[in-house]
Amino acid sequence: MKHIITTIDAPEQALKVNIDGAVQGVGFRPFVYRLATKYTLRGYVCNTTGGVELWLEGEGKKAMVDELISHLPEHSRIDKVDIKGVTAEGYKEFRILTSSNLESGVPIMLPDLAPCSECLKEMTEPNNRRYLYPFINCTHCGPRYSIIENMPYDRPYTAMKGFEMCEECRREYEDEKDRRFHAQPIACPKCGPQLQLRDKDGQEITPPHLWEEVTARLKAGQIIGMLGVGGFQLLVDATQEEAVKRLRQRKGRDARPFAVMVPNISYGEKLGKLNKQERKLLLSYAAPIVLAERHPQTELAPAVCQFSRFVGLMLPSSPLHALLMKAWGKSLVVTSGNISGEPLCVSFEEAKKKLRGIADVFLTHNRPVLRPVDDSVVRVCAGKEMVLRRARGYAPLPVWHTGENTADILAYGAELKNTLCLSKNGVVIMSQHLGDMISSETVKHAQKTCQLLEETLNFSPELQVYDIHPDQTLKNIKHQTNPQVPSLYVQHHEAHVWACVAEHQVALPALGVAWDGVGYGDDGSIWGGEFFYLPENGKAKRIARIKPFRLIGGDRAAKHPARCALSLVLQCQKDCPEIEARLNNELGAERKAIEIMAKNGINSPWCSSMGRLFDAVAFLCGFRGEQGCEGHAAMYLEGLVQAKNDEREEAYKWHLTEGEIIEADWSEVLMGIERDVQNKVPVSHIARKFHESLVDLVRMLIQKAGLTRVALGGGCFQNAFLLEGLEQMTQHIGCELHVPEQIPCNDGGISFGQVVAANRYWQK
Ligand code: ZN
Ligand code: ZN
Ligand code: FE
């Protein structure tokens, strides 16, 4: 996010500085205090609703502000700085004011922060009173969002309200020079939360050495249900194939890879290739899962990463995890403690009921989790840090400040990978990742999250925004809301591209390119390979799509890439004997029936989905059988493209046909692949040429539309090779390319795009 600095020149005897952003609960005020003392300034610092206010009198005030902005304390983030020259009041000293004049701002809730280096160090000092204490924290680190009951962020409004501070903790808490000054979750073994090891029936187990017991159980292949920061997690030894398989099978989990926690960065480097950006992300206070290219030969059991070229790595995200990893010393599968398709379990009572068939033993504690938060997922793609799942460590930091007085909007997001967005006074807060709105439990979880956010932010919407999909589950959410509040419906792919436009403040007009699996189009068909003209004012206009083909068997087609390939062959009505042979092999006797369905249009809706086109090409490049999980075939295809310094291949040809809107015809792409298969061209080249052809397609549309800026959106852009190709191409033709980074490019970003679209589309 950009800093906005406005300076108003006036008699500069004093400076009044207002800073908005993530500056509360991170030790910002003590930091300012120390800095002001260094410059012998007088005045104050206090919290406001949206940030902090500084009053500075004395010689070095400008230098002090410069130093503050250029050397921010760990974990803080500035969104906006407002500096005013004012008449001096004649303060005698510099003070931290605890009460503040709460204006009509938006309270900023901080995300949960991984332990800082000082706390980690104290935890290993035998003489420290918090030696080996799993709930150590300070003003710079520790739980935040997951323990907040209400705002302002103050101990009585957190999950810590039931723990009375001991004398020593209180002394630290009240001393403005202490590094635990106003650390709301402050605790120690004497007064704070405690760990418990429990069996499935809730009986407490009290071994002589807790961590020895835990690691012995892991070594024996047991699955441990542990209450982490944002809810329960399931842990299993990542080096034992049988144990990992047991977890997969008990959880009913599809082929999706499991994330792996490692004790430290250098251990992570043994498992995956890490560049500077990836290391930085792993070490960041958000401590997300970072998808890194996996080394082929490691200690990891094959069942951890399955088919994936990537390994999802994570460092300890709390002192509890740090103690666990110190005792364990190698890689550990860490996955969310839920039944597949349901939200995380957050209480032991819940875990005992739902996870008893999965976990062999529970490691739990008595600090309640008030807001369930999953681990976040980030991937560095073509040099961009793309947040793919925005949860612990990120949510609910504001994702956007419009800087304008816009309507207060509540946006409900997409059906899958759902998030919610609340926009108040132009500040947009995005909820944590909430999951797929296909089980009633997840819908309830979304409703509850929404209600909590509304209460905490003292928010009531003037406008509600929905996807245009007439889906029942989304209606369920709707029933909760006020029928008096007007509703607006925004098309899925428009939301995708508007999200990117807003994130990067892209100057308009621009070309929006939205490529994903499926989204409901405003003509009732399934979209997913769409191009938009994004005007300076008003609505997006769809100008092109890829030529539609049938999804034979509906959802079955998304599962089985051969069906997509067959659909293309039937549609283009040209001879492709090589592809036919492969299809017959794969589909066997089923083929006839599938073909009849397609020809008669039975359960075979039209789609223009780029995701399904990827699936079809993956099949043509050797992918067989059903997809083990979402994105499986596309990842396979991306994985085939190797060695980036190869000669550029001649790309397959797209044809643009004019009509009401432009149709990008893939027939020649298909025929090109047929020829290459005949000529025994290696599949890695075919995959590469397909990617190149997509870059070409975007170039053709840029030139056709006569635009010089492009904004991307949709899950297909989680593809490093495609992004690199687009970067090179746009640079070459002198065009700006914008890629979603902080806002998920997948459906997790839809709620934000809906807010942006609503701001443009809606008039009171
Ligand atoms: Zn700390
Ligand atoms: Zn204490
Ligand atoms: Fe989408």
Side-chain angles (χ1 to χ4, degrees), residues 399-547:
V399 288
W400 197 43
H401 293 246
T402 57
E404 286 157 33
N405 194 14
T406 48
D408 289 351
I409 299 168
L410 174 56
Y412 285 94
E415 186 184 13
L416 302 179
K417 299 189 178 65
N418 182 264
T419 58
L420 303 162
C421 266
L422 285 74
S423 172
K424 184 180 174 182
N425 298 346
V427 176
V428 184
I429 309 273
M430 188 190 258
S431 76
Q432 70 272 35
H433 161 86
L434 297 171
D436 297 343
M437 298 292 118
I438 41 183
S439 79
S440 59
E441 291 297 314
T442 315
V443 172
K444 263 188 241 155
H445 168 47
Q447 284 167 346
K448 191 166 169 225
T449 305
C450 186
Q451 195 191 335
L452 269 173
L453 282 171
E454 285 184 328
E455 278 169 23
T456 320
L457 301 171
N458 191 14
F459 176 87
S460 59
E462 294 169 72
L463 178 68
Q464 319 174 77
V465 193
Y466 305 99
D467 193 272
I468 60 170
H469 197 301
D471 189 276
Q472 197 56 45
T473 47
L474 290 172
K475 283 192 189 129
N476 284 347
I477 301 177
K478 223 188 301 186
H479 288 150
Q480 281 270 311
T481 64
N482 188 348
Q484 309 296 316
V485 179
S487 295
L488 183 82
Y489 297 82
V490 174
Q491 199 277 328
H492 185 99
H493 300 95
E494 289 182 38
H496 266 314
V497 292
W498 283 126
C500 181
V501 166
E503 181 184 353
H504 297 291
Q505 300 176 19
V506 178
L508 298 171
L511 178 71
V513 183
W515 290 354
D516 64 3
V518 288
Y520 194 78
D522 61 17
D523 56 2
S525 77
I526 295 166
W527 292 9
E530 319 302 314
F531 299 83
F532 295 91
Y533 178 82
L534 305 173
E536 220 175 317
N537 294 299
K539 298 197 178 190
K541 185 179 182 300
R542 187 163 73 132
I543 53 168
R545 65 169 169 193
I546 66 169
K547 184 178 171 176

Side-chain angles (χ1 to χ4, degrees), residues 103-178:
E103 288 160 38
S104 64
V106 179
I108 305 287
M109 280 182 277
L110 275 188
D112 301 292
L113 308 168
C116 73
S117 47
E118 268 177 279
C119 285
L120 286 175
K121 191 166 143 267
E122 279 188 15
M123 200 169 59
T124 58
E125 295 165 351
N127 294 326
N128 194 288
R129 66 191 192 91
R130 294 189 179 88
Y131 178 55
L132 302 185
Y133 182 56
F135 303 96
I136 189 170
N137 65 80
C138 73
T139 331
H140 292 285
C141 74
R144 298 288 187 272
Y145 182 57
S146 64
I147 59 159
I148 293 176
E149 189 180 276
N150 212 333
M151 289 299 269
Y153 176 58
D154 226 339
R155 190 157 170 121
Y157 305 117
T158 69
M160 293 299 294
K161 67 179 174 189
F163 297 93
E164 201 180 330
M165 277 182 237
C166 70
E167 244 172 75
E168 280 167 289
C169 283
R170 176 159 300 280
R171 201 172 24 83
E172 294 167 336
Y173 180 85
E174 286 172 355
D175 177 1
E176 56 191 34
K177 286 167 216 86
D178 194 275

